[in-house]
Amino acid sequence: MIKVFLLRIMIFNIAFTFGQSKTFFNSKNDKIKIPFELSNNLIIVDAVFNNIPLKMIVDTGADSNLLFSYPVEDTIRVDKDKRLFIKGIGTSQSIEAFLSSGNQFTIKEYLDSNFEILIIPNLEINLVNKLGIPINGILGYSFFKDYLVEINYERELIFLHANKEKAIRKRAKKFKKSSVEVENFKPYLQLKTALDKQEYQLKLLFDTGLSDGLWLFESKTISSDRYYIQDYLGRGLSGDIKGKRSRVNKISFSDIEVNEALVSYPDSLFFKQISLVKGRNGSLGGDIIKRFNWFLDYENKVFYFKKNKLLDAPFEYNMSGMEVQHSGLELVQKEFSITKFVSVDSETSYVADRSQIIPNFRFELKPTFEVCAIREASPAAKAGLKVGDKIISINNKLAYNLNLQKITTLFQSEAGKKIKIAVVRNGKILNFEFTLEKIL
């Protein structure tokens, strides 16, 4: 399971100018409808960048737009205006990047003819491994700043509203509202949270690019609940990021309470390089944000929200302790039959000759999966599974007939469920069996 999207780059000591975006509505209406795919609580949209189709994550937690993966069959032409060096989570190493402006960017009828983006050509980020979907980049602040942005998680639709007052009057009148602080091009909410029976007022980054529901930074005043597990949280530039996973008693959105949400406390080791906004306690992520529908008004620093049908859905986690990722494609031989038909008269009548069924074969490209992380003392670890094991089958279903979402759902399904898994390790087929355990 992808616990959190950690491959966003944390950028330091770079003065982004956010040159004047030239955005247009190529629509007769005063709103634009943009469908999205919700994968691991992340919003993924289809976009066109300099005439090349891309898939982008819509990320309120990103101050800039990023491009880090290119379609292999296409060539993207850009002007590299400025060479930069940036740093990422968990590493002191600098990475070469280029700031490019004057690009053309479209999503449906939305057009930005002076689109500014940070290009990272040598960064090995392959999100198809983590999400099962090829992701090319991140859409950040510039997408949100000019219009009222409505996010409807139930319908998996984004609406851009040119007439804010009209949309708020007609569409958001039954929504509750909250003031937000926009600092360094990122929005922050103040929310009441109960941790281990104590209440705190927390300043949280509103972060649709975070798959987890809640991240908190431990400090002198904030610490995890007494009941927690050490878990794999994601992957940064220097390797796996680990930390504590627990639950919070409740998080309050005005008079709406979200109860028993999962919370992650990343090891402070991985955030030494990050200059946090003053007073920030953590991040509010997709697994909680998706339980509401939203209107985001950056200009007036107000967010409107309304609970949706996802509010009371349980907060699930991987009870196997084994993280799986897409590891590529392989050719799989499929058998099918060709039936010979014979004439039964001299005109047009034919019947199948069952004695002449001809076997035939075709080859199809199918996904492969591998174990990418194991939680210590978890059911998978106790059974003997290891990082790098290539998965052949799970519960007697061939792995290439599955996808990451189906595997994630299985590992979250129910405590006590038996999992049978066959893997290849060092050229040998090994079989393992374990039972899902609910710890939190």
Side-chain angles (χ1 to χ4, degrees), residues 34-193:
I34 301 170
F36 66 83
E37 179 178 356
L38 190 65
S39 178
N40 290 287
N41 305 321
L42 302 177
I43 297 172
I44 301 170
V45 296
D46 291 312
V48 178
F49 175 75
N50 291 349
N51 297 317
I52 302 298
L54 302 177
K55 286 191 178 291
M56 307 282 282
I57 291 175
V58 178
D59 188 355
T60 55
D63 55 9
S64 57
N65 306 305
L66 302 179
L67 181 66
F68 46 70
S69 174
Y70 319 110
V72 293
E73 69 276 10
D74 291 311
T75 300
I76 297 179
R77 298 184 181 277
V78 295
D79 293 324
K80 297 176 181 178
D81 298 336
K82 189 175 181 181
R83 186 186 185 198
L84 305 167
F85 289 92
I86 62 177
K87 295 179 181 179
I89 295 176
T91 179
S92 60
Q93 299 297 316
S94 295
I95 299 168
E96 184 181 48
F98 297 91
L99 187 63
S100 175
S101 58
N103 302 289
Q104 182 165 297
F105 182 85
T106 60
I107 305 179
K108 293 296 184 179
E109 294 86 14
Y110 170 83
L111 167 65
D112 188 340
S113 62
N114 188 27
F115 187 69
E116 186 175 84
I117 195 164
L118 189 66
I119 300 169
I120 310 170
N122 298 316
L123 186 61
E124 294 182 0
I125 295 180
N126 189 355
L127 287 185
V128 69
N129 289 0
K130 302 296 182 183
L131 299 175
I133 301 170
I135 302 298
N136 304 110
I138 290 171
L139 189 56
Y141 171 75
S142 68
F143 180 71
F144 301 95
K145 67 185 181 67
D146 292 328
Y147 304 106
L148 181 70
V149 180
E150 178 185 356
I151 304 177
N152 189 311
Y153 278 95
E154 287 177 297
R155 298 172 61 193
E156 296 191 5
L157 289 172
I158 293 173
F159 295 91
L160 299 182
H161 296 275
N163 189 330
K164 296 182 181 182
E165 291 74 18
K166 176 183 174 182
I168 292 171
R169 185 174 65 253
K170 288 190 172 183
R171 302 284 301 280
K173 61 182 180 181
K174 294 184 179 180
F175 282 55
K176 300 179 184 297
K177 67 179 182 178
S178 175
S179 298
V180 299
E181 303 170 52
V182 180
E183 300 181 52
N184 298 332
F185 313 110
K186 300 177 184 180
Y188 294 84
L189 291 174
Q190 295 278 349
L191 294 176
K192 288 183 179 179
T193 306

Side-chain angles (χ1 to χ4, degrees), residues 227-292:
Y227 302 100
Y228 65 85
I229 57 174
Q230 290 288 342
D231 205 0
Y232 168 85
L233 304 183
R235 188 169 182 83
L237 297 179
S238 63
D240 293 343
I241 293 183
K242 299 179 180 180
K244 298 175 183 177
R245 189 173 300 280
S246 184
R247 291 188 184 270
V248 296
N249 303 123
K250 66 179 179 180
I251 305 171
S252 300
F253 294 78
S254 184
D255 59 346
I256 303 171
E257 293 184 354
V258 177
N259 297 307
E260 296 301 313
L262 290 169
V263 56
S264 299
Y265 299 88
D267 290 342
S268 59
L269 168 69
F270 296 99
F271 287 87
K272 288 184 178 179
Q273 300 293 330
I274 296 178
S275 178
L276 297 176
V277 165
K278 184 178 181 181
R280 178 184 170 187
N281 303 113
S283 297
L284 186 74
D287 198 21
I288 290 177
I289 294 173
K290 74 176 183 182
R291 296 160 193 266
F292 299 84

Side-chain angles (χ1 to χ4, degrees), residues 413-427:
S413 56
E414 58 180 313
K417 187 176 185 65
K418 287 188 176 181
I419 303 295
K420 296 179 180 180
I421 184 166
V423 304
V424 172
R425 182 190 301 166
N426 298 325

Side-chain angles (χ1 to χ4, degrees), residues 19-36:
Q20 286 297 319
S21 295
K22 296 180 180 178
T23 59
F24 303 95
F25 266 47
N26 289 333
S27 172
K28 295 180 181 179
N29 300 319
D30 57 5
K31 69 177 180 181
I32 296 172
K33 181 170 73 171
I34 301 170
F36 66 83

